Amino acid sequence: MATILLSLSSKEDKITHRSEVLLRFLPFHGMNLRSKTGIFIYPRHFRYFVNRTASQKAGVIIPENITSITQQEAEKRGYSIKTYGEIVISDRIVTPEVEFDKQQKKIIDQLQTAIIEAFDAASREDIDAMWLDKIISYFFHPTKQYSGKRARAKGEKSIYDLAEEYLEKKRFSYDHTKAFKVLIRDLARYEAFKNKVLHERFKWNIHKITRYDIEDFEHYLRNEKSLSEQYPKQFEAILEKYPAEINVVHVHTKLQDRGDNTIIKLKKKFKAFMQWLFDNQLTTNRPFDGVKIGVEKYGVPFYLWKDERNIVAEADLYEMWKKLSDEDKKTISEKSLSSLSAQRDIFVFQCLVGCRVGDLERLNSRNITNGILEYVPSKTMDEDAPVKPRIPLNKTAISLVNKYKGVDEKGRLFPFISPDKYNDAIKKILLICGITRNVQVRNSTTGETEIKRICDVASSHMARRTFVGAAYKVVKDPNIVGKMSGHVEGSRAFNRYRQIDDDILRETINEI
């Protein structure tokens, strides 16, 4: 039976003193989907939102019944208070905050009902993290026919409607979809900034976007964080209430400084979107003509050496965990080791086949024939002649596939978790295994080179680099390695991954 559990974010908004309700959906055995709800409540009321017994068994921390605060703070918030040596507040008093959370409770209950009803009507193969996000988004925005101040001409689609259509038609990977939605929220905040702060009547119109608009949008991206500090009240409203067309519930955004690479990637996605609109005859406007996009700059690629990869593959995580310092053990509980073991196996397999995490999550037994893994990368799926990597599996990779045969409820090769949780697991696994050597990392905001432990900056994409680096050391032929990794000919990324290190140089000299 499908189960929904609620938990509360440990982060509290400094202005409203509310925390976000987080949702965990357990549709089948072995599948654990997580999502933010976009609903914020006062932490002391959270116990009214959950089944206390079931939640505590699942490890959910529930705030206590009574919260201690200072008398000055209590009076400031308008509480009726009682004094018992210290100031405490009672939830039995019907304050505006209590009334607010009562309304939030109704919304949460309705959301849970909507999820269960959608689950009952869905096919098992459709259920994944993106499905849950869509159901939650649809709950808050059940129709795209909006009325009110933002009403538009009959049949006219906003840039946000078209963005959703773009994602539906292109069917990008999870990571690319997530990154594109970041762009859409940036576009929405820019539009709101122009209206609420600069008091300009501005609205993104795909037929009227100009080169000036794009350049001004880039200027906004570079300065958004400082602008939010300059106009805090206006940005509080902007972040709280996105335009109605935005199909998103994660409304509380933490603004950060952006580096050149981030802005270049956003501009590339914006340009690709506008080009798609033009190619599909949805507009004749080509605002990016003549706009300089720029080229991303990256530091020296780092990856696991072969002996480090083998240490990870063969490690007894429990025995190595016991050797960690008390400080490190605080970040990695003993209870988590069993789940980390499965993610370790997935990471090792990824190091041996080199596919992107989005493609890795789609693999099933049908992708393997006579010991050879074959798939079409989602990144090149829409091309006329998509790259189709073929990777012979070695004994370790085959044993890992056999180990998890039939374990995943959706029939995939491995029991995957969300990409973000997978990245966190990789960092913990490397720390447990003692893979802590320093590497050079380029700061994405400042562009400066920094020295960090490899376990602190590792991610799923490092597995791809590990595959390319190890393979290139053996064959030294970019065409063969590229055929297995799925890089297109002339890929700049591939040239970064196959770093020619001192070992290869020595081997070359010895051959002369």
Side-chain angles (χ1 to χ4, degrees):
M1 181 179 177
T3 304
I4 295 177
L5 293 173
L6 303 177
S7 59
L8 198 63
S9 172
S10 59
K11 299 178 181 178
E12 182 179 294
D13 187 277
K14 294 181 179 179
I15 298 175
T16 65
H17 302 289
R18 302 171 194 158
S19 296
E20 186 171 13
V21 178
L22 309 178
L23 185 144
R24 187 190 309 177
F25 183 48
L26 311 174
F28 318 111
H29 176 71
M31 179 177 285
N32 189 344
L33 307 179
R34 300 168 186 264
S35 184
K36 298 178 180 179
T37 64
I39 296 175
F40 288 74
I41 65 170
Y42 294 97
R44 66 185 169 281
H45 297 154
F46 179 63
R47 65 187 181 281
Y48 298 124
F49 284 68
V50 297
N51 180 318
R52 176 178 287 272
T53 302
S55 298
Q56 288 178 333
K57 283 183 178 179
V60 175
I61 299 175
I62 302 175
E64 293 300 320
N65 289 346
I66 294 178
T67 302
S68 298
I69 60 174
T70 66
Q71 183 172 0
Q72 182 180 5
E73 181 65 19
E75 292 174 349
K76 180 180 177 182
R77 299 192 197 178
Y79 295 134
S80 295
I81 57 177
K82 298 178 181 179
T83 305
Y84 297 97
E86 63 177 341
I87 302 301
V88 299
I89 61 174
S90 170
D91 290 329
R92 293 180 180 178
I93 304 299
V94 181
T95 65
E97 295 177 356
V98 170
E99 192 61 37
F100 173 84
D101 280 352
K102 282 184 177 181
Q103 296 300 318
Q104 299 296 77
K105 175 67 165 60
K106 291 180 181 178
I107 297 173
I108 281 288
D109 290 344
Q110 293 168 358
L111 173 60
Q112 293 184 77
T113 299
I115 292 172
I116 294 298
E117 289 177 351
F119 169 72
D120 290 339
S123 300
R124 173 172 287 208
E125 57 269 18
D126 294 332
I127 309 299
D128 56 19
M130 290 186 66
W131 174 89
L132 181 60
D133 284 343
K134 285 183 178 180
I135 296 302
I136 295 176
S137 294
Y138 184 78
F139 173 80
F140 287 97
H141 306 288
T143 175
K144 293 183 180 180
Q145 300 301 318
Y146 297 97
S147 58
K149 294 182 180 179
R150 303 185 61 81
R152 47 188 175 273
K154 185 178 180 181
E156 179 188 351
K157 294 182 179 180
S158 76
I159 193 171
Y160 310 112
D161 293 331
L162 292 167
E164 288 293 325
E165 186 176 325
Y166 175 63
L167 291 177
E168 288 290 335
K169 296 286 180 63
K170 298 294 286 186
R171 300 188 68 81
F172 292 120
S173 67
Y174 175 89
D175 287 337
H176 191 97
T177 299
K178 186 177 178 181
F180 183 78
K181 287 184 176 181
V182 169
L183 167 65
I184 297 306
R185 294 196 288 274
D186 290 342
L187 291 172
R189 291 201 300 277
Y190 172 78
E191 182 178 294
F193 170 78
K194 297 274 281 186
N195 285 277
K196 293 181 180 296
V197 179
L198 301 184
H199 303 292
E200 298 179 11
R201 296 188 63 182
F202 177 84
K203 177 182 177 181
W204 287 110
N205 184 321
I206 62 169
H207 309 298
K208 298 180 180 180
I209 296 174
T210 66
R211 178 175 178 173
Y212 167 79
D213 292 326
I214 294 168
E215 291 172 347
D216 193 55
F217 175 55
E218 178 181 348
H219 178 77
Y220 171 82
L221 292 174
R222 293 187 182 279
N223 298 280
E224 184 180 43
K225 188 172 186 296
S226 60
L227 287 170
S228 69
E229 295 167 352
Q230 186 177 354
Y231 304 99
K233 291 185 178 180
Q234 291 91 331
F235 266 85
E236 182 182 344
I238 290 173
L239 296 175
E240 183 75 30
K241 297 179 181 179
Y242 278 100
E245 289 90 342
I246 296 297
N247 191 14
V248 64
V249 298
H250 304 171
V251 295
H252 274 58
T253 301
K254 183 179 180 181
L255 301 181
Q256 297 177 327
D257 290 320
R258 298 180 178 89
D260 288 339
N261 283 359
T262 300
I263 292 174
I264 289 170
K265 289 177 181 178
L266 288 169
K267 289 168 65 179
K268 283 182 176 179
K269 286 178 174 58
F270 196 3
K271 182 178 180 179
F273 173 51
M274 292 301 302
Q275 184 64 42
W276 178 83
L277 295 172
F278 179 83
D279 291 342
N280 286 272
Q281 299 181 348
L282 296 171
T283 185
T284 57
N285 188 20
R286 295 173 59 94
F288 275 89
D289 286 352
V291 174
K292 185 176 180 181
I293 299 294
V295 179
E296 298 139 88
K297 297 179 181 178
Y298 295 91
V300 177
F302 56 87
Y303 51 88
L304 292 185
W305 300 327
K306 184 178 179 179
D307 58 340
E308 291 175 327
R309 182 200 67 195
N310 292 341
I311 288 173
V312 173
E314 299 165 6
D316 183 325
L317 294 184
Y318 176 69
E319 291 298 323
M320 301 194 79
W321 174 83
K322 291 194 296 185
K323 298 176 183 178
L324 290 178
S325 66
D326 292 339
E327 191 65 28
D328 286 334
K329 284 182 180 178
K330 291 179 181 179
T331 63
I332 307 173
S333 68
E334 181 179 350
K335 188 178 179 180
S336 68
L337 294 178
S338 59
S339 61
L340 285 178
S341 179
Q343 301 312 309
R344 179 269 304 273
D345 291 342
I346 296 172
F347 176 68
V348 170
F349 181 84
Q350 190 182 5
C351 288
L352 295 173
V353 300
C355 58
R356 300 175 181 88
V357 67
D359 296 321
L360 181 70
E361 291 179 332
R362 295 187 294 109
L363 298 179
N364 56 52
S365 59
R366 294 188 295 275
N367 293 105
I368 301 175
T369 305
N370 297 326
I372 296 179
L373 175 69
E374 188 172 21
Y375 66 97
V376 178
S378 57
K379 189 173 183 178
T380 58
M381 191 177 294
D382 291 334
E383 296 182 3
D384 295 333
V387 177
K388 198 170 186 179
R390 286 173 53 84
I391 309 101
L393 302 180
N394 65 16
K395 292 181 180 180
T396 301
I398 291 174
S399 68
L400 290 173
V401 170
N402 291 333
K403 179 179 178 179
Y404 291 93
K405 188 175 182 179
V407 172
D408 185 67
E409 292 283 346
K410 298 181 72 173
R412 300 172 299 180
L413 290 184
F414 299 99
F416 296 106
I417 56 178
S418 72
D420 290 340
K421 296 294 183 183
Y422 180 43
N423 285 335
D424 291 340
I426 292 170
K427 292 178 174 63
K428 293 176 181 178
I429 290 163
L430 295 190
L431 177 59
I432 292 172
C433 293
I435 312 299
T436 60
R437 62 181 167 89
N438 289 334
V439 294
Q440 292 184 359
V441 180
R442 187 177 187 272
N443 185 298
S444 60
T445 301
T446 65
E448 299 294 324
T449 299
E450 300 174 347
I451 304 299
K452 295 191 175 183
R453 298 188 305 176
I454 192 170
C455 62
D456 295 330
V457 291
S459 67
S460 63
H461 209 70
M462 190 179 72
R464 185 164 166 79
R465 293 196 297 268
T466 297
F467 172 83
V468 173
Y472 195 81
K473 281 188 177 183
V474 175
V475 299
K476 303 177 183 63
D477 186 334
N479 293 321
I480 293 177
V481 179
K483 185 174 179 62
M484 293 189 293
S485 64
H487 284 98
V488 297
E489 186 175 351
S491 167
R492 290 197 302 269
F494 180 74
N495 290 331
R496 290 199 309 272
Y497 295 155
R498 61 179 183 87
Q499 178 188 9
I500 311 290
D501 63 12
D502 291 343
D503 290 341
I504 294 180
L505 293 177
R506 290 191 188 96
E507 291 173 13
T508 302
I509 292 296
N510 290 335
E511 294 292 331
I512 297 176

